[in-house]
Amino acid sequence: MSQAHRDLIVVGASAGGVEALRALVAGLPADLPAAVAVVLHMPLGGASALPAILHRSGALPAVFARSGMPLTHGRIHVAPPDHHLLVVEDRFALSHGPTENGHRPAVDALFRSAAIALGPRVTGVILSGVLDDGAAGVVAIRARSGRVAVQDPADALHPGMPENALRHVRPDHVLPAADLGPALAKLVREQVAPSSAPPASPQVEQENRIVRDWRVTMGAGTIGEASEYTCPDCSGVLNEVEPGTLRFRCQVGHAWSVEALAQAQGDAFEKALWTALRTLEEKVRLSERMVESARTRGDGRQVNRYQGRLDESVRAVDVLRDFLLSTGEPVPVEETGATSGDPAG
């Protein structure tokens, strides 16, 4: 049975992730016998300076990954904006496939492809971020006998991603970001037998094909069973990937975890309310003009009619504005410098 070692580290981060990534790579040695691949969630269309930031933060060079680039030991490979970073055999591939939890690149896409390609040779690392991105990815890695390390939630600027990873798998390490580097440097030297790893599940294989090749996205509708929910990205029917997993894909391949789906629905609801507020305010201004016009004409009947409409609209505006202001939550402030905007949540 051929032997190998754990020579690929895949890292996922989101909000608060730049600080955590800098701390992690500062602890990685220059002679690391493994390749490192990084996905940081970022706004679609944004530029990224992440390779330069990580290059200055530690002993390893950092570059944007390109399709066909080999998994080079002692190098950090960063997912470029608006492209999923995938692993195919012993090389990287880029994909413009469907978004996952509204993100491209997506943490789960990288983790899932790495687990399929290299099995126990993979170590997955979850850093700071909100919601549950990466949880499905570490499950896929663990199912193929890979290792998992998680930033201590108490050390994370946003503990959501680490906490959710801990709910789904028992990691090999839970450490502050600054301590993860030395721990990973030891893990990657472990010997493994890739051929002894359990195969990836059919669902994981199919999800990987959907992200890798847009031509098979129409097959996304064959995953799981239809749910009562619709996709926030395209309004298509969402299928639950596997019963009880609370993970969904639509007919064209957009993927959603339950927390990301709930947030997207909440965002859509709030957007609808703000749109309604704008419409009501326009109705108030129009009604004011109608009242003034009727008063100028001396049409008392119309003045009373339009004034009633104006009063009703003003009351509705006040109620809706008070509701929106009372339920608003502060928006997390991200680090600057990683992108032209902020990392996405």
Side-chain angles (χ1 to χ4, degrees):
M1 184 178 297
S2 62
Q3 294 289 312
H5 63 95
R6 303 187 189 278
D7 60 344
L8 176 62
I9 300 170
V10 291
V11 185
S14 191
V18 175
E19 177 181 311
L21 282 165
R22 292 179 64 183
L24 184 153
V25 303
L28 295 174
D31 62 347
L32 184 75
V36 181
V38 172
V39 163
L40 175 69
H41 287 161
M42 60 189 72
L44 292 179
S48 175
L50 187 59
I53 293 172
L54 299 185
H55 188 84
R56 294 193 300 266
S57 300
L60 300 182
V63 299
F64 278 125
R66 301 188 308 273
S67 283
M69 178 181 284
L71 279 59
T72 304
H73 292 182
R75 178 189 287 174
I76 301 170
H77 310 77
V78 177
D82 204 23
H83 288 82
H84 291 304
L85 177 59
L86 308 176
V87 179
V88 181
E89 297 179 349
D90 282 306
R91 294 184 177 273
F92 290 111
L94 300 182
S95 165
H96 202 68
T99 59
E100 301 206 2
N101 294 340
H103 298 300
R104 188 172 53 231
V107 174
D108 284 323
L110 170 62
F111 282 27
R112 186 172 51 238
S113 68
I116 291 171
L118 301 181
R121 292 168 56 186
V122 180
T123 298
V125 182
I126 294 292
L127 301 178
S128 175
V130 299
L131 304 181
D132 52 356
D133 298 297
V138 292
V139 169
I141 289 173
R142 179 63 89 198
R144 293 272 287 144
S145 301
R147 297 288 199 181
V148 174
V150 177
Q151 182 181 8
D152 186 339
D155 180 62
L157 186 58
H158 297 284
M161 280 176 53
E163 288 174 345
N164 276 291
L166 293 175
R167 293 189 185 104
H168 287 82
V169 299
R170 180 175 294 177
D172 300 278
H173 294 290
V174 181
L175 296 168
D179 296 331
L180 283 172
L184 292 170
K186 294 179 180 179
L187 275 182
V188 299
R189 300 178 189 277
E190 293 181 354
Q191 296 293 310
V192 296
S195 60
S196 66
S201 72
Q203 290 82 5
V204 169
E205 292 273 10
Q206 187 173 5
E207 288 194 88
N208 189 56
R209 287 194 298 271
I210 289 168
V211 176
R212 180 179 170 185
D213 188 349
W214 67 268
R215 289 169 296 183
V216 302
T217 58
M218 292 308 294
T222 65
I223 291 180
E225 297 293 331
S227 75
E228 58 187 311
Y229 312 116
T230 56
C231 176
D233 278 348
C234 67
S235 300
V237 175
L238 285 172
N239 282 7
E240 189 165 5
V241 174
E242 291 181 83
T245 61
L246 294 179
R247 290 187 56 252
F248 305 89
R249 276 195 186 270
C250 72
Q251 303 292 315
V252 296
H254 298 123
W256 296 92
S257 66
V258 64
E259 289 199 11
L261 179 60
Q263 175 163 298
Q265 290 173 334
D267 291 344
F269 176 65
E270 182 175 345
K271 182 179 179 180
L273 290 179
W274 282 107
T275 300
L277 178 60
R278 184 200 68 207
T279 302
L280 283 170
E281 288 178 335
E282 291 175 356
K283 186 176 181 180
V284 166
R285 292 193 293 271
L286 181 60
S287 296
E288 288 172 341
R289 294 189 64 179
M290 294 169 72
V291 168
E292 184 61 29
S293 177
R295 185 175 288 121
T296 299
R297 297 194 309 271
D299 189 341
R301 181 172 175 273
Q302 289 289 68
V303 167
N304 291 335
R305 178 188 175 196
Y306 295 149
Q307 186 64 51
R309 181 184 298 176
L310 173 60
D311 293 343
E312 180 183 350
S313 298
V314 168
R315 287 193 297 269
V317 165
D318 289 341
V319 169
L320 188 51
R321 183 185 290 113
D322 288 345
F323 174 78
L324 284 166
L325 294 178
S326 68
T327 58
E329 297 182 357
V331 178
V333 177
E334 319 291 355
E335 306 92 337
T336 58
T339 67
S340 58
D342 292 333

